[in-house]
Amino acid sequence: MSATGAVLTRPPVQTGGAPGVVPQVVLAVVCGGYAVGAALGWGSSELALFMGDFGLSVAAFAAAVSCFLYARRHHGRFRPAWLLFAASSTMAGIGNGVWGWYEVVLRQPVPSPSLADFCFLLFAPPAIVGLLVLAKRPVSKAGWVCLGLDAWLIGGSLLTLSWSLALAHTAHFQGQSVPQGALALAYPLLDIVLVSMVLALHFKRSSAHRSAINTAIAALALTVLCDALFSSPLLREHYRSGQILDAGWFAGSMLLTYAPWVARRLPGGDGAAAAPERAARRTPPATATTATAAATRPIAGSLAALTPYLAAAVCTLGILYNVLDGRRIDRVVLFTGCTVVLALVVRQGIMLLDNITLTQELAQKENHFRSLVQGSSDVIMIAAPTGILRYVSPAAAGVYGRDAEELVGSELASLIHPEDLGRVVHEVRRFLAAKPEDEPTTRIECRFRAGEHRAGGEKWLNVESTVNRHHGGLIFNSRDVTERVRLQAQLQHNASHDALTDLPNRALFTERVSQALTGRRATDPGTAVLYIDLDGFKQVNDTIGHQAGDELLTQAARRLAESVRAGDTAARLGGDEFAALIMGDGSRDHTAREHRILEIADRLRVRLSDPYKIDGRDVRVAASIGVAFAEPGITPGPLLRNADLAMYRAKQAGKGCVKLYAPQMQADVVRRAELATKLRTALHDGEFALLHQPVVELAGGRITAVAALARWRSAQGILFTPAEFLRVGDRGRLKEDGDRTAELGRWQLEEAVQQAAGRHRAGHPVPVAVRISAHRLLDRALPPKSIEALLSRHGLPSGSLVLELSDTDPRIPLEELERRLVALRRLGVRIALDGFGSGAAAIGALRRLPVDVLRLDRDLVDGVVDSARLHKITSGLLRIASDLGMQSVADGVDLPEQIVALRSMGCTHGQGMAFAGPLDEHRLRRALTQGSYPVPGPGSEGRAVVLSGTGLPVRHVKAGREPMSPGRVLGELPRRYGPGDGRDGAEAAMARPPLRPNSETSVPPT
């Protein structure tokens, strides 16, 4: 056998087990024991009579009970047959019981006719109907007619033969009455009918319950045989109860008792009850047993076809016997013979018409299926058990490029790609080993040899085949799926590669890193990941467009892929971020491998920083690279995170450089995360406090407004600004519009409005100024209606809230910001521009936005006394504010000489430590009750005076002496102040100028 034949050889499949051996042995022992007893005469005539009558009665009743119990427990199509067999056995049991009553109890001959005779006569009709139930139901009227004709052919032939041999003598009623003669004829006639049904059923029985039906047929056949022997005149004259003939009846009853339970129990079912349904659906496996059964089916079919002719032959033999015996042909024999011949002619005519109809239907179906197979675009192939192709549909010419006739006769294995042959063999063997009902079909995908005439020589097509079993071989329904496989490969490539640069994406890169960390080179310490970011790429998109940016990324990806080795991996992780996996060289020298990787990273940095030629112009970007080594036990996620941290440390170090990861970088990230958690906890636990710093009129010292400043109260009671906490955003950048900043801003605005409303009700109607970023003001979460609702809820009058814009980012859309500010001014909210003079963006905002107050930047105020240039700049800015009709507020006024200088330039208001530091609510109300702070008069330009909150001078600078610079004054003071030094922190701040600006204090150590 060829290799392909070995593939297609089907392994044996285990079927349900045969019925148990123990019941069969018990049945044989019981029947054999009865037969031995009957042959030996049971030892006495009394015991022989008892066993011959009541023994048969008990056996018949046992059969009746067995059939009845089975029919009660199992509900199926054959349930009525077992009930009828139970009724038939009951009649036999009653008849034998009545016979024993006369012979054993009454000790007198059994009268004829008697009740026993009628019971014996009633044995046959239920059995005959039960056999009809067990027969395979015809599917047409012609089938029913043929079944009746077959039964008559068998019965008529047996009647003819029996009449010729014995019944003709019985029918003359020699010395018998009419009832006795009729009873003598009734026994053989009913037996003939029963035998006819047994023979007809033998060839037309249902495939379900085969073993049970065969046992029942054998039981009834044995009973009929004994009845026939009993009906013969020779045996009947010498018959006595308890003789060997009774052993046949006893065995028939015991077989019928065993018949219902003999059905094979199938795996996965509940025995014979589920057998008919499963047997109808099951496709028998091609085992040796099945092959033997299949071989016996043609023999049984031939016998079934010859049955009518055998019946006619028997009938003819009956007539010939009368002729050869020299007797006149009996009218019964003549009539029966003619009807048998007529039934045979009618049956053959019906079968001829049925065959013609079936032939036509078969031809139509064959044409139909031939057109389906030949017209199908799929290739249908039938492989013999030897692996040779026996049939190939014409579609092979269009799919494989080879004629079907060319493929027929070739081995299937020679057409499958050698690399796929082993997998196909394994799948076919597994499929053939499986049960057909569990897995009727399977799918196999492999490469199939295409025709030689295709362009480029021999080709291999991707073919998907549905495989079915077929007489020990296989049927392949195959289709060309080459385009689908190519599309799947393309989709898989697209899913793992970047669409713009065709480099591996983050998912594939992470997979490659995982393979490097867990593969055979997992212990190589020289493996490293390079995280690369293009500095200045955003400016390329903003200046020359996104299309140019895409071209730059494509060129950068090409340079990166060309710069790494064949075993390394270059990838684009997203945006302008790239990565490279550099495999180690096996070196154990830490310094050498670090030098090698840093040299590769620096070479990549230089290569990626070279000018890019885009649309005829040179575009320059730099590359910041972070390097992280694969330490023992590290996983892909932490390794990529370490390289990312190193890259951002390179960007913080000035961009365009290479940084190696150090554990301290991760510690910084943890510290920032802890600070973020502290900020969130402080907000939720109410650890923030709102202080207010007075805004003082420089001309007379009157308090005209207060500025709200948020402070965090530490566990030691020290107040700190949250500025450092707001610098814990991702990648070390300040995120003023982050969630934490927004939450803090909402709290600050709510608290400021609530406390200002309380001061208004207490008789201190001073406006409150709250800093807010322009980004936050444009946030949809803070519409003007929410501010209006806030003012209404707390009852703060119009004009009592001042919003200070804390940033002037040129990227902010001024049109939208202008509409928002106009809507707020309609609500009575005043607008202040904070940090004026710190950049060109403030001038643009001043030109477009509806601003009421200008706040001079602290850097201008710090140098207004010492620098003539800053003096002139500040003077010009104040003239602009005056010309526009705006109030001006100087931020960071800490020294008296600054008050004098600013007032002389036209500044109207000031805020700083020269008046008061940030105050709590109690000290603020005390200051508002006082109403004003002392300010230097017009004649105090020659000396510097530092004022405290109580109006007492703390330090004087005499005229003619060089005033102490602010830096020197601040340098002599302690770094922190608070409750720990025995005085209130705010008062200490007013008594001594602080080290830091008044808008920010120290951050607690972490």
Side-chain angles (χ1 to χ4, degrees):
M1 184 180 292
S2 64
T4 310
V7 172
L8 298 182
T9 301
R10 186 191 305 265
V13 180
Q14 297 297 329
T15 59
V21 179
V22 175
Q24 296 178 356
V25 172
V26 172
L27 178 65
V29 169
V30 171
C31 294
Y34 191 95
V36 171
L40 298 178
W42 297 103
S44 65
S45 59
E46 291 80 5
L47 182 58
L49 288 176
F50 182 85
M51 295 301 297
D53 295 333
F54 291 110
L56 294 181
S57 179
V58 171
F61 280 124
V65 172
S66 175
C67 294
F68 177 77
L69 291 178
Y70 181 84
R72 184 177 180 182
R73 183 179 301 179
H74 301 85
H75 298 275
R77 186 171 71 88
F78 298 144
R79 182 169 180 258
W82 299 112
L83 290 175
L84 290 169
F85 290 155
S88 178
S89 299
T90 301
M91 293 294 102
I94 295 174
N96 284 304
V98 172
W99 198 282
W101 175 263
Y102 282 105
E103 288 189 339
V104 178
V105 178
L106 299 181
R107 296 181 179 274
Q108 64 182 20
V110 181
S112 180
S114 66
L115 178 62
D117 295 323
F118 290 104
C119 290
F120 290 145
L121 288 176
L122 292 178
F123 167 81
I128 294 172
V129 178
L131 289 174
L132 287 175
V133 174
L134 292 179
K136 184 186 298 183
R137 295 181 179 179
V139 296
S140 62
K141 294 180 179 180
W144 286 103
V145 173
C146 288
L147 179 62
L149 292 175
D150 289 342
W152 171 244
L153 287 172
I154 297 173
S157 60
L158 292 178
L159 178 61
T160 303
L161 185 61
S162 302
W163 190 274
S164 300
L165 295 177
L167 294 183
H169 302 286
T170 306
H172 289 89
F173 307 115
Q174 298 174 359
Q176 296 180 351
S177 63
V178 175
Q180 291 177 341
L183 185 61
L185 287 176
Y187 279 125
L189 291 178
L190 287 177
D191 287 340
I192 290 174
V193 174
L194 190 57
V195 170
S196 302
M197 292 306 306
V198 168
L199 293 176
L201 179 62
H202 177 71
F203 299 109
K204 294 184 177 295
R205 63 186 181 276
S206 175
S207 59
H209 279 285
R210 183 178 295 273
S211 55
I213 294 175
N214 288 338
T215 306
I217 291 175
L220 295 175
L222 184 58
T223 302
V224 170
L225 177 61
C226 293
D227 286 346
L229 294 175
F230 176 77
S231 300
S232 63
L234 296 177
L235 289 181
R236 183 160 186 171
E237 291 178 358
H238 300 87
Y239 171 77
R240 295 293 183 270
S241 296
Q243 294 179 351
I244 191 65
L245 186 61
D246 292 345
W249 282 315
F250 181 85
S253 297
M254 297 309 296
L255 283 175
L256 192 59
T257 304
Y258 176 64
W261 313 98
V262 77
R264 292 186 178 184
R265 186 172 300 275
L266 300 173
D270 60 348
E277 290 77 7
R278 288 194 299 270
R281 297 191 302 266
R282 180 182 306 159
T283 302
T287 60
T289 304
T290 308
T292 303
T296 60
R297 290 194 192 102
I299 299 176
S302 300
L303 291 176
L306 292 176
T307 300
Y309 303 100
L310 292 176
V314 170
C315 184
T316 303
L317 289 176
I319 297 175
L320 290 177
Y321 175 79
N322 285 320
V323 173
L324 295 177
D325 196 27
R327 292 182 297 172
R328 184 175 57 87
I329 298 177
D330 194 277
R331 286 177 294 178
V332 174
V333 174
L334 182 61
F335 175 78
T336 306
C338 293
T339 55
V340 168
V341 173
L342 180 61
L344 178 62
V345 173
V346 173
R347 186 186 185 282
Q348 292 303 109
I350 294 175
M351 293 303 298
L352 179 61
L353 295 177
D354 195 19
N355 288 337
I356 294 175
T357 304
L358 290 177
T359 303
Q360 293 176 350
E361 292 179 358
L362 182 61
Q364 292 178 357
K365 291 181 179 180
E366 184 179 357
N367 293 332
H368 175 70
F369 285 109
R370 182 183 293 108
S371 61
L372 289 178
V373 171
Q374 295 181 353
S376 174
S377 59
D378 295 348
V379 180
I380 300 175
M381 300 182 298
I382 300 178
T386 58
I388 304 299
L389 293 177
R390 296 188 307 185
Y391 173 80
V392 179
S393 65
V399 176
Y400 300 145
R402 305 176 66 178
D403 293 336
E405 293 79 4
E406 180 185 351
L407 293 175
V408 173
S410 60
E411 287 193 6
L412 183 62
S414 64
L415 304 175
I416 301 175
H417 197 282
E419 296 179 1
D420 299 339
L421 183 59
R423 178 172 52 83
V424 173
V425 169
H426 174 75
E427 176 61 22
V428 170
R429 286 178 175 173
R430 185 202 62 78
F431 171 66
L432 293 178
K435 297 180 180 179
E437 59 269 20
D438 295 338
E439 190 174 5
T441 63
T442 187
R443 288 180 178 271
I444 297 177
E445 188 170 327
C446 62
R447 284 168 289 180
F448 204 87
R449 189 190 307 275
E452 300 289 343
H453 66 274
R454 290 176 176 261
E458 188 175 72
K459 293 279 188 177
W460 294 96
L461 301 178
N462 293 93
V463 176
E464 181 186 62
S465 302
T466 301
V467 185
N468 296 271
R469 299 172 177 85
H470 177 69
H471 296 302
L474 295 174
I475 298 178
F476 292 84
N477 191 351
S478 307
R479 62 200 62 85
D480 183 10
V481 293
T482 305
E483 290 300 325
R484 190 195 70 186
V485 171
R486 185 180 295 113
L487 178 60
Q488 288 177 345
Q490 183 63 39
L491 292 176
Q492 185 176 2
H493 178 84
N494 294 342
S496 59
H497 288 75
D498 178 59
L500 179 63
T501 62
D502 204 38
L503 289 179
N505 57 14
R506 182 181 294 272
L508 182 57
F509 184 75
T510 304
E511 182 181 348
R512 297 276 179 86
V513 173
S514 178
Q515 293 173 356
L517 297 180
T518 58
R520 59 183 179 86
R521 304 183 63 179
T523 57
D524 189 353
T527 301
V529 170
L530 277 58
Y531 213 104
I532 307 167
D533 184 84
L534 300 181
D535 303 321
F537 175 73
K538 187 178 185 307
Q539 286 72 15
V540 174
N541 280 337
D542 295 340
T543 54
I544 60 179
H546 289 274
Q547 186 174 359
D550 293 344
E551 177 62 26
L552 189 148
L553 291 176
T554 303
Q555 295 185 22
R558 189 181 304 116
R559 294 182 184 182
L560 179 61
E562 294 172 352
S563 300
V564 299
R565 300 170 303 178
D568 300 333
T569 301
R572 183 192 177 200
L573 304 184
D576 59 342
E577 294 181 349
F578 295 85
L581 173 63
I582 307 299
M583 305 301 296
D585 56 359
S587 174
R588 297 292 175 177
D589 188 351
H590 181 273
T591 304
R593 72 169 184 263
E594 183 175 314
H595 177 73
R596 181 181 68 89
I597 293 296
L598 290 178
E599 183 180 359
I600 294 175
D602 192 66
R603 186 172 67 250
L604 285 176
R605 180 191 62 79
V606 173
R607 184 75 177 95
L608 294 175
S609 300
D610 288 341
Y612 294 85
K613 201 74 172 180
I614 300 176
D615 294 336
R617 68 174 75 178
D618 289 339
V619 179
R620 291 180 178 270
V621 293
S624 296
I625 302 178
V627 180
F629 282 97
E631 302 296 336
I634 197 171
T635 57
L639 181 58
L640 292 175
R641 179 202 61 200
N642 294 345
D644 189 17
L645 292 176
M647 184 269 292
Y648 276 102
R649 185 58 59 92
K651 294 178 75 70
Q652 292 174 353
K655 300 181 179 181
C657 60
V658 178
K659 286 292 181 181
L660 184 63
Y661 170 77
Q664 182 60 34
M665 298 179 184
Q666 179 62 24
D668 293 341
V669 173
V670 173
R671 183 182 63 85
R672 289 198 299 270
E674 291 176 351
L675 292 176
T677 303
K678 289 181 180 180
L679 173 61
R680 190 178 298 108
T681 303
L683 284 171
H684 292 167
D685 296 346
E687 297 180 5
F688 274 92
L690 192 65
L691 304 183
H692 295 81
Q693 189 172 22
V695 177
V696 179
E697 187 180 23
L698 297 182
R702 183 172 61 90
I703 300 175
T704 60
V706 292
L709 302 173
R711 295 293 184 266
W712 174 64
R713 189 184 304 274
S714 69
Q716 294 78 21
I718 304 176
L719 296 176
F720 299 95
T721 67
E724 181 64 22
F725 292 97
L726 302 182
R727 293 183 174 87
V728 296
D730 295 341
R731 300 172 182 174
R733 293 175 293 183
L734 183 64
K735 292 178 64 179
E736 293 185 353
D737 295 322
D739 295 339
R740 292 177 291 274
T741 308
E743 188 174 357
L744 177 61
R746 286 193 297 269
W747 173 86
Q748 183 174 350
L749 181 60
E750 176 83 21
E751 193 73 13
V753 171
Q754 182 180 358
Q755 293 186 16
R759 289 190 294 270
H760 272 259
R761 289 190 293 270
H764 304 293
V766 290
V768 61
V770 182
R771 294 189 67 195
I772 187 171
S773 67
H775 288 284
R776 171 68 180 150
L777 197 60
L778 291 177
D779 191 357
R780 293 182 179 180
L782 188 68
K785 290 185 178 180
S786 65
I787 297 180
E788 181 182 5
L790 179 63
L791 298 175
S792 301
R793 184 168 64 252
H794 294 288
L796 189 64
S798 176
S800 299
L801 176 62
V802 181
L803 295 180
E804 300 176 355
L805 297 180
S806 61
D807 61 356
T808 53
D809 192 341
R811 294 172 297 181
I812 296 177
L814 293 180
E815 295 82 1
E816 185 177 354
L817 182 59
E818 181 181 5
R819 290 193 297 268
R820 184 62 57 88
L821 293 179
V822 170
L824 290 174
R825 291 188 69 186
R826 293 196 188 101
L827 301 176
V829 179
R830 301 176 65 196
I831 307 299
L833 187 60
D834 191 21
F836 188 72
S838 61
I843 300 298
L846 182 63
R847 180 175 60 88
R848 296 287 303 273
L849 303 179
V851 178
D852 301 300
V853 180
L854 291 180
R855 294 181 61 89
L856 292 180
D857 188 73
R858 171 181 297 277
D859 294 336
L860 295 177
V861 177
D862 287 343
V864 73
V865 177
D866 299 332
S867 174
R869 179 182 295 274
L870 289 179
H871 188 282
K872 292 181 180 180
I873 293 174
T874 305
S875 178
L877 295 177
L878 290 172
R879 282 197 300 270
I880 292 175
S882 177
D883 293 341
L884 294 177
M886 302 177 183
Q887 289 184 359
S888 55
V889 178
D891 192 10
V893 180
D894 298 331
L895 300 174
E897 53 265 34
Q898 294 173 343
I899 299 175
V900 175
L902 290 170
R903 185 174 56 196
S904 64
M905 295 177 194
C907 184
T908 59
H909 296 77
Q911 174 185 340
M913 297 305 297
F915 309 107
L919 305 175
D920 58 17
E921 187 65 21
H922 174 70
R923 289 173 176 80
L924 177 61
R925 293 201 179 191
R926 190 171 64 183
L928 292 177
T929 302
Q930 183 179 344
S932 63
Y933 289 99
V935 295
S940 61
E941 282 80 358
R943 58 185 184 140
V945 180
V946 178
L947 303 176
S948 68
T950 59
L952 298 177
V954 176
R955 181 181 178 88
H956 298 275
V957 181
K958 295 183 180 180
R961 290 187 61 185
E962 180 180 357
M964 183 179 293
S965 65
R968 290 175 59 194
V969 174
L970 299 177
E972 297 174 355
L973 299 176
R975 297 181 61 85
R976 291 197 177 110
Y977 49 88
D981 59 5
R983 296 183 297 170
D984 181 77
E987 291 184 354
M990 290 185 288
R992 295 177 295 184
L995 173 67
R996 298 179 182 273
N998 65 313
S999 61
E1000 183 173 342
T1001 56
S1002 302
V1003 178
T1006 58

